[in-house]
Amino acid sequence: MNRRKFLKTSGLAAVAAKGFGATAGALPASPAPRGGANRARLTVIFDEPIGRLNRNLLGQFAEHLGACVYGGMWVGTNSSIPNIHGLRKDTLEALKRIHASIIRWPGGCFADTYHWRNGIGPRSKRPTTWNLWWGREEPNAFGTDEYMEYCHLSGASPYVCVNVGSGSVREAVEWMEYCNSSHATTIARERGANGHAEPYNVTYWSVGNENWGCGGAFAPEDYADHYARYVNLMARAAEGVPVQFVACGLEGGDWNRRFFEALLRRPAGRGILRTVRQLSIHHYFHDGAAVDFSDRDYYGLLAQVGELEAILRRVVATIDEFKEPNAPAAGIALDEWGVWHPVPGQGAEALLQPNTLRDALLAAVTLNGLCNLGSRISMACIAQVFNVLQSMAITRGAQMVLTPTYYVFDLFQPHMDQAGLKSVVESPTYEVQEGKRTMARDYLSAAASLNESRKQICLTLVNQHLTDPLDVEIEFAAGASATGATLRELTSSNVRDQNTFDHPDVVVATAAKHLSLSGHHFTHTVPPHSVQTLVVNLV
Ligand code: AHR
């Protein structure tokens, strides 16, 4: 089932207007290149900082859906697949290698049906429930304590989404107490009896998921009412942990404005509005088949990043309208994003899809776009970490294969926690017809950041041209000068290439190699359909 069909059959009418995915139409067989052929320019500007690139930009999302949790993260203590207390070892290690920053859990639509008490205590006594959204039995074997241990072992921060759609304020407050309380309350002692005496100190809490759709089909004013009631008590239950609440937003329409206005109309309006530290936005891409896509579909998919960038700029503008003069602005939590190919949506293999180099390039262009918004993006979680949608790895029994997208997350590591730098791209462009609209995009996508000592700059470059290399003139404004660099790259001979269980290493990132370049102005070639990370030393 593709996403459109899923939305239709699951009754999420409100999201039909979201504008993801390509519409079929009269499309040129291949986009026409415009502008100067195969030469582009990238100017990196040092004196217009855009804020720190939050390491949570490389976040993950895990939902009880298909084989994401059961198969990807949890195999059980009696499994012959190597595990630590039932947690799958190879996927844990894979996440550790890319320094996974944050893992959002337990959904997704599943979150607004999840009752956390079903997932604690002796596993043999936990109930089996029915996963309403994704059509399979839920054994509740992976619950709060297993999730926290998975986060701990992978090095990621937990990010919990509470149940607004079918839960209660009391349930959410008690969940927070279970996770964060250091008092000798019965609930905190229960956590101790379940093997973890110390509080988990969870910082990130999302108040529901897609509450305009699967999370309760609320109007923004009704959601504001629920949000205020949840946060009013959850904030008190936080117990000194500097918790951050993430409110549900929407990428289109007037949901965000109406939500903020409704919060402001409450007696403690400003106070409640201030609790919205991040606003959740979701965005999915889709164009053509997962593997046998046309060249038009290739460009069509990549061009959709332009739509996402425009959406994010509009969300930033709305946030700023409601911002108090001396208070920090809420960040955007793009806590679900990625490519959603047309694949079945129910059961044990729900939303399991192949992952090609095209998907990886889409991820890289998206991440460049997020980096270019600097500190305005506080978090981004790709959907989903294993076996579902644009995953990091696919498992089958004891086997695991890393996807091309995994390597993009590896290549973007050097940006994390660095100071984002503004950069100006001048590039030949491609055009894609999308219904009645023509989308024009630069072949070159780029982002830049500077390390703390100002001695190294990281550039992530994507040449989206299918066949031609791009010579990029790179210029460091403000007198910074290069003295050598390291280069890593992800590409393959065909953009339809993927890693399979039989051939797991078709699309892998290269090891770092030294490049001798110097000066504040140099030319560097980026091969067709490739992603590169250049870490340049500065004098
Ligand atoms: O990631 C799959 C689903 O997509 C999530 O459950 C939901 O939040 C979104 O619509």
Side-chain angles (χ1 to χ4, degrees):
M1 194 185 316
N2 67 25
R3 178 167 168 87
R4 283 184 188 288
K5 186 109 170 277
F6 159 73
L7 294 172
K8 211 166 156 208
T9 54
S10 58
L12 307 185
V15 283
K18 283 170 74 179
F20 52 78
T23 47
L27 302 165
S30 65
R34 289 194 297 143
N38 305 336
R39 268 196 102 72
R41 177 191 286 265
L42 173 69
T43 309
V44 181
I45 299 167
F46 284 71
D47 49 8
E48 290 180 44
I50 55 173
R52 187 177 69 94
L53 305 186
N54 195 315
R55 63 173 40 256
N56 289 346
L57 286 184
L58 295 182
Q60 303 290 336
F61 167 40
E63 178 167 13
H64 290 239
L65 192 180
C68 182
V69 170
Y70 299 110
M73 299 166 88
W74 175 260
V75 289
T77 47
N78 296 327
S79 175
S80 58
I81 299 171
N83 66 83
I84 305 171
H85 306 144
L87 304 170
R88 191 174 174 129
K89 222 171 156 190
D90 53 2
T91 61
L92 267 171
E93 280 162 4
L95 282 194
K96 246 164 90 175
R97 287 197 296 275
I98 54 169
H99 307 106
S101 52
I102 193 165
I103 305 175
R104 176 178 186 247
W105 175 83
C109 293
F110 178 81
D112 283 283
T113 65
Y114 184 62
H115 301 285
W116 67 273
R117 280 204 158 274
N118 289 341
I120 58 164
R123 274 187 288 276
S124 60
K125 297 211 170 100
R126 298 185 194 174
T128 298
T129 48
W130 182 245
N131 187 327
L132 281 176
W133 285 104
W134 307 111
R136 66 174 303 194
E137 282 170 5
E138 168 56 55
N140 285 297
F142 187 92
T144 304
D145 297 299
E146 290 79 12
Y147 163 66
M148 294 298 171
E149 188 175 9
Y150 195 94
C151 287
H152 173 71
L153 293 174
S154 65
S157 299
Y159 169 26
V160 174
C161 181
V162 304
N163 180 345
V164 173
S166 67
S168 67
V169 175
R170 175 178 178 177
E171 205 178 350
V173 166
E174 289 184 352
W175 200 2
M176 189 176 251
E177 183 178 342
Y178 185 82
C179 292
N180 286 2
S181 177
S182 50
H183 297 303
T185 64
T186 304
I187 290 181
R189 284 206 307 263
E190 207 176 347
R191 185 191 63 230
N194 290 336
H196 209 276
E198 291 304 310
Y200 291 117
N201 294 334
V202 178
T203 301
Y204 303 101
W205 294 85
S206 164
V207 184
N209 168 75
E210 295 192 356
N211 302 92
W212 35 262
C214 65
F218 292 108
E221 292 76 12
D222 298 330
Y223 173 68
D225 190 42
H226 279 76
Y227 173 87
R229 288 175 53 243
Y230 271 70
V231 161
N232 184 38
L233 289 182
M234 287 178 76
R236 288 197 75 79
E239 300 271 0
V241 178
V243 296
Q244 290 203 21
F245 293 110
V246 182
C248 168
L250 179 58
E251 61 180 354
D254 59 358
W255 168 281
N256 301 333
R257 173 170 292 107
R258 283 171 59 190
F259 166 63
F260 288 143
E261 282 169 354
L263 288 184
L264 277 180
R265 280 197 297 273
R266 300 182 71 86
R270 269 286 161 209
I272 293 286
L273 188 68
R274 247 175 256 141
T275 66
V276 181
R277 294 293 305 279
Q278 306 192 36
L279 186 69
S280 157
I281 298 293
H282 293 174
H283 190 85
Y284 287 98
F285 307 88
H286 161 235
D287 204 330
V291 180
D292 295 322
F293 51 84
S294 65
D295 289 356
R296 207 279 347 155
D297 298 338
Y298 164 83
Y299 286 110
L301 186 80
L302 295 180
Q304 287 175 27
V305 179
E307 291 178 0
L308 173 62
E309 289 168 353
I311 288 164
L312 295 175
R313 282 194 297 270
R314 283 197 294 274
V315 176
V316 163
T318 306
I319 288 173
D320 285 350
E321 270 179 50
F322 290 85
K323 181 183 133 26
E324 288 175 284
N326 296 318
I332 296 177
L334 184 66
D335 51 11
E336 283 186 34
W337 70 274
V339 181
W340 189 318
H341 292 304
V343 286
Q346 297 278 288
E349 294 201 339
L351 305 186
L352 173 62
Q353 67 184 32
N355 193 304
T356 64
L357 176 59
R358 175 177 74 147
D359 299 324
L361 296 174
L362 180 283
V365 176
T366 302
L367 289 171
N368 273 345
L370 299 182
C371 289
N372 288 329
L373 281 164
S375 54
R376 303 313 301 257
I377 311 292
S378 41
M379 168 195 304
C381 305
I382 194 164
Q384 298 191 5
V385 63
F386 304 120
N387 295 325
V388 167
L389 300 176
Q390 194 174 356
S391 48
M392 296 294 111
I394 296 175
T395 61
R396 185 176 68 189
Q399 291 174 287
M400 178 194 74
V401 64
L402 299 173
T403 64
T405 302
Y406 174 88
Y407 293 102
V408 170
F409 275 61
D410 193 14
L411 289 185
F412 272 71
Q413 290 300 318
H415 276 314
M416 293 306 103
D417 286 337
Q418 300 212 135
L421 295 180
K422 192 171 163 185
S423 53
V424 178
V425 166
E426 295 159 78
S427 164
T429 57
Y430 61 91
E431 286 182 356
V432 182
Q433 196 71 28
E434 181 92 25
K436 287 188 177 156
R437 280 175 312 139
T438 303
M439 301 190 292
R441 294 281 290 168
D442 292 332
Y443 280 112
L444 176 66
S445 148
S449 67
L450 187 64
N451 78 346
E452 212 177 335
S453 63
R454 300 177 70 86
K455 288 278 180 231
Q456 257 180 1
I457 190 165
C458 171
L459 302 176
T460 40
L461 309 172
V462 187
N463 175 9
Q464 298 166 73
H465 203 295
L466 261 178
T467 54
D468 296 353
L470 200 53
D471 290 337
V472 185
E473 283 176 44
I474 300 175
E475 180 158 355
F476 294 152
S481 190
T483 167
T486 57
L487 169 71
R488 294 190 68 200
E489 183 177 286
L490 181 74
T491 190
S492 188
S493 52
N494 190 326
V495 277
R496 291 159 190 88
D497 283 348
Q498 54 179 309
N499 298 328
T500 62
F501 293 107
D502 292 336
H503 302 285
D505 297 327
V506 176
V507 191
V508 298
T510 58
K513 78 168 191 208
H514 180 74
L515 278 190
S516 40
L517 42 84
S518 61
H520 68 274
H521 182 219
F522 52 89
T523 300
H524 173 74
T525 302
V526 189
H529 58 257
S530 72
V531 187
Q532 291 190 335
T533 300
L534 271 181
V535 176
V536 184
N537 299 318
L538 301 176
V539 278

